[in-house]
Amino acid sequence: MTPPLYQIDDLAFLQLIVGSAALDVLYTGCRWAEGPVWFDDMQCLLWSDIPNQRILRWAADTAGGGSVTTFRQPSNFSNGQTRDRQGRLVTCEHGLRRVIRTEACGSVTVLADSFQGKRLNSPNDVVVRSDGSIWFTDPTYGILSDYEGYRAAPEQTVHGVYRVDGISGEISLVADDFCQPNGLAFSPDERRLYIADSAGSHDGSKPRHIRAFDVQNGKLTGDRVFAVIDVGIPDGIRTDIAGNLWSSAADGVHCFAPDGRRLGKILVPEVVANLTFGGPRRNRLFLTATTSLYAIYVTTTGAQQP
């Protein structure tokens, strides 16, 4: 008997999914797949295979399939990635404990590697706002062992969330009370920032929820718990153009309405670490899940730019 692909918690979820869609396996052979980012101008997806020290590239072809090549190796244990408004790749590196930007010529610019004179822990995920500011999370996953980085003692006293000013490059700490901050995503109007706390991955008594903040003048206010993941933890998160939030989880992808109601789940046979919208119409959800890259069509469109 074929296992179900969807769990419907609210009838509104039926308007977001394609009932006849298949869960496509685009690649398998990773150790821990993470950090997907879509390049619409090149019709390709980059994603991280953290323990294998590589960034892979899946490129669509005219026949509807795709091919996979290595984009960067070694990758310094790269994790979360995004693009800025100029289309440049922005990457979090566990190994060198920094956030970098890959320029159009291929050179690398370091955006952040320390705060107040001390090394960052291990930048995990990153988003870019339309004002050019870069926001990233800094848990300790990359320094806990030598599997996804290099074992080391943390120098920062907090597991923080940071903002890099798009003009001055100044780094500021915008949240300091997370246990293990992880994925983050702006609402379509950028007035709200969602941040996952995935500390439950190593301690079942710790948070496995997503918090929401109001964004005002480069600062975060109005902190509240937006949603709790009931199977596994929230890792990577994204929003669609209607403001729904899509989160990775141990049993697949959980979808939440803007008011925090869980609408349903896409059930995946591997633990999903991260996700992003892509394809020519941005209506294809790409999932990095343990050893594999998956994709599934939905009826909504991703909010991220470019």
Side-chain angles (χ1 to χ4, degrees), residues 28-68:
T28 191
C30 298
R31 290 191 183 275
W32 182 243
E34 253 281 11
V37 55
W38 177 253
F39 282 72
D40 194 59
D41 45 343
M42 291 181 281
Q43 289 297 296
C44 73
L45 180 100
L46 299 183
W47 83 97
S48 303
D49 181 5
I50 304 176
N52 279 328
Q53 278 262 46
R54 59 183 181 170
I55 297 175
L56 297 173
R57 179 180 185 268
W58 177 87
D61 59 34
T62 55
S67 60
V68 174

Side-chain angles (χ1 to χ4, degrees), residues 24-179:
D24 300 319
V25 182
L26 303 181
Y27 180 83
T28 191
C30 298
R31 290 191 183 275
W32 182 243
E34 253 281 11
V37 55
W38 177 253
F39 282 72
D40 194 59
D41 45 343
M42 291 181 281
Q43 289 297 296
C44 73
L45 180 100
L46 299 183
W47 83 97
S48 303
D49 181 5
I50 304 176
N52 279 328
Q53 278 262 46
R54 59 183 181 170
I55 297 175
L56 297 173
R57 179 180 185 268
W58 177 87
D61 59 34
T62 55
S67 60
V68 174
T69 55
T70 299
F71 173 78
R72 179 177 293 164
Q73 192 172 29
S75 66
N76 296 319
F77 295 101
S78 292
N79 191 341
Q81 304 181 99
T82 191
R83 299 181 78 187
D84 66 13
R85 295 307 171 103
Q86 288 72 49
R88 297 169 296 189
L89 177 67
V90 180
T91 304
C92 293
E93 293 184 339
H94 281 184
L96 295 182
R97 298 161 69 171
R98 63 185 188 174
V99 181
I100 64 168
R101 182 178 65 220
T102 301
E103 308 295 345
C105 65
S107 65
V108 168
T109 299
V110 178
L111 301 175
D113 60 3
S114 63
F115 180 69
Q116 295 183 343
K118 298 179 180 180
R119 295 186 73 185
L120 297 171
N121 295 321
S122 57
N124 186 283
D125 210 351
V126 59
V127 289
V128 178
R129 204 164 182 257
S130 59
D131 62 2
S133 58
I134 298 102
W135 303 63
F136 67 93
T137 55
D138 189 42
T140 55
Y141 290 124
I143 57 176
L144 292 178
S145 73
D146 292 318
Y147 187 62
E148 294 187 27
Y150 302 106
R151 184 190 296 274
E155 297 182 24
Q156 298 295 328
T157 59
V158 300
H159 300 174
V161 181
Y162 296 89
R163 177 185 182 272
V164 182
D165 187 86
I167 298 175
S168 69
E170 179 183 358
I171 304 172
S172 57
L173 178 65
V174 294
D176 61 5
D177 63 342
F178 278 81
C179 293

Side-chain angles (χ1 to χ4, degrees), residues 12 14 22 45 58 65 114 138 143 193 201 219-221 232 242 255-256 266 289:
L14 295 173
L45 180 100
W58 177 87
S114 63
D138 189 42
I143 57 176
L193 178 65
S201 62
K219 300 183 182 302
L220 300 181
T221 62
C255 179
F256 299 91
I266 302 173

Side-chain angles (χ1 to χ4, degrees), residues 210-227:
I210 300 165
R211 290 160 62 180
F213 298 83
D214 299 317
V215 184
Q216 297 181 347
N217 301 318
K219 300 183 182 302
L220 300 181
T221 62
D223 177 18
R224 64 271 192 193
V225 173
F226 171 76

